[in-house]
Every structure is written in C-alpha cells, then in structure tokens.
Amino acid sequence: MKLSVPRWPKTLRWDRCALILCVAVLALSTAPGQRALQAAESMANATQDEIERFCANIADAARDRRYSLQRLELEKLRGEIDERIVALEEKRSEYEGWLARRDAFLAKAEGGVVSIYASMRPDAAAERLAEVRAELAAAILMKLEPRVAGVILNEMNSKSAAALTTIIASAARPEDPS
C-alpha cells in the first residue's frame, strides 16, 4: 500500500505557513512564545533569502531559453529567405534563357534574307513566308519595315497571318513570359 504525503495548496507559501505556525505556538504559550516569534521571523527572513536566490539562479536559465527560442525563430526565417532566394534565382535563370532564345530568334532574320523579302512583291513574299517555319517567318517580318510587313501579312491567309502576329507580339512583349 502506497502512502501519500499531503500537499500544501499552491496558494499557500512556506514563509506564510511558517509564520502562521509560529503565531499559533505564541498564542499557546507566552514565555516560549517570544522565542517562537523570533524563530518565525528568522525563518521568514531565511525563506525570503531562499526565494531571492532561487529567482536569481533561474534568471540566467530563463534568459538562455529565451535566446535559444529567438535563435530557432531566426534560423526558421533564414530558411524561408533562402528558399525564396532559390526561387528568385530560378526565375532569373528562366528569364535569361527566354531572353537568349528571343535574341537567337531575332538573329535568324539578319542580313540578306530580310533585304531579299523586302525587295519581293508582297504576294510572292507572303506565299514564300507561308512555306517556312513560323518562327523564322515572324523574325523576318519583325526586321522588315512595318509598312512592308503589313502588306505581306495582308496577302497571307488569315490563319497564317494570325499565327505570325501572335509570335511577333509575344516576342515584342517586354514582360516576363511566364
């Protein structure tokens, strides 16, 4: 059989209990009561000193715990920032790749090919541009003067002209394509 030790209520403090006990002893006897009162006062002072020492001792531990919690929070925030930096770097590399493809796209139409199509009749140029890859045709049209390119697009069938216009518009877009 296990014996349980009675516990004091949490609201009672040891120094108050000791003081109450001393007052009770004093009430029962007068001469020994003087000694009991002095003992109670010295116990109350000793208890107060113990309380102050206890608080002083745990202050460093509490400060250390608070610092460790703040450090953990900062490490968590650093991880989130690192993840965002990685995402931004991926976006930047994607944008640089898109820009490189756009530059390569425009370079396809360099030089003599553009001047050849500029000197052709619009109906013949439209017929020839309908036969080449759409990206190349759009690059050539972008290098032509707008008036000449407009006449050539006018001579093409509507589906081909719409596809080339879409490519030209997306290549001229200054924003990120994603």
Side-chain angles (χ1 to χ4, degrees):
M1 179 156 103
K2 188 174 182 181
L3 294 176
S4 64
V5 177
R7 295 186 178 244
W8 290 96
K10 289 185 178 182
T11 57
L12 290 180
R13 291 193 175 158
W14 288 104
D15 56 345
R16 289 182 185 164
C17 293
L19 188 61
I20 292 170
L21 181 62
C22 290
V23 169
V25 170
L26 178 65
L28 294 175
S29 64
T30 55
Q34 286 291 342
R35 281 181 264 149
L37 183 60
Q38 290 172 352
E41 287 176 359
S42 67
M43 266 177 99
N45 289 338
T47 305
Q48 187 64 29
D49 291 341
E50 288 178 15
I51 291 171
E52 288 175 6
R53 277 194 314 244
F54 176 76
C55 291
N57 288 339
I58 66 164
D60 290 336
R63 186 177 326 119
D64 291 344
R65 178 67 178 152
R66 193 169 48 250
Y67 288 158
S68 68
L69 290 174
Q70 288 174 349
R71 183 179 45 82
L72 290 175
E73 182 67 24
L74 287 174
E75 288 174 357
K76 177 184 170 189
L77 291 174
R78 180 180 300 218
E80 291 174 4
I81 289 172
D82 290 343
E83 289 173 5
R84 288 181 182 177
I85 287 173
V86 166
L88 286 173
E89 288 295 324
E90 289 175 359
K91 268 295 195 200
R92 185 180 61 81
S93 66
E94 180 183 328
Y95 182 73
E96 287 174 351
W98 177 81
L99 190 60
R101 286 193 311 272
R102 181 180 181 273
D103 290 342
F105 168 76
L106 291 175
K108 288 180 183 177
E110 291 295 322
V113 177
V114 175
S115 63
I116 291 171
Y117 277 95
S119 63
M120 292 175 77
R121 287 188 344 262
D123 59 335
E127 197 175 306
R128 302 306 181 283
L129 286 176
E131 296 297 321
V132 297
R133 286 190 344 258
E135 293 87 13
L136 179 60
I140 292 170
L141 286 173
M142 285 179 67
K143 292 289 186 172
L144 291 173
E145 292 181 25
R147 180 177 293 211
V148 175
V151 173
I152 292 173
L153 282 173
N154 190 36
E155 292 293 327
M156 291 182 141
N157 70 31
S158 61
K159 285 190 178 191
S160 297
L164 291 176
T165 304
T166 302
I167 294 171
I168 292 170
S170 67
R173 184 178 355 156
E175 300 173 4
D176 187 355
S178 59

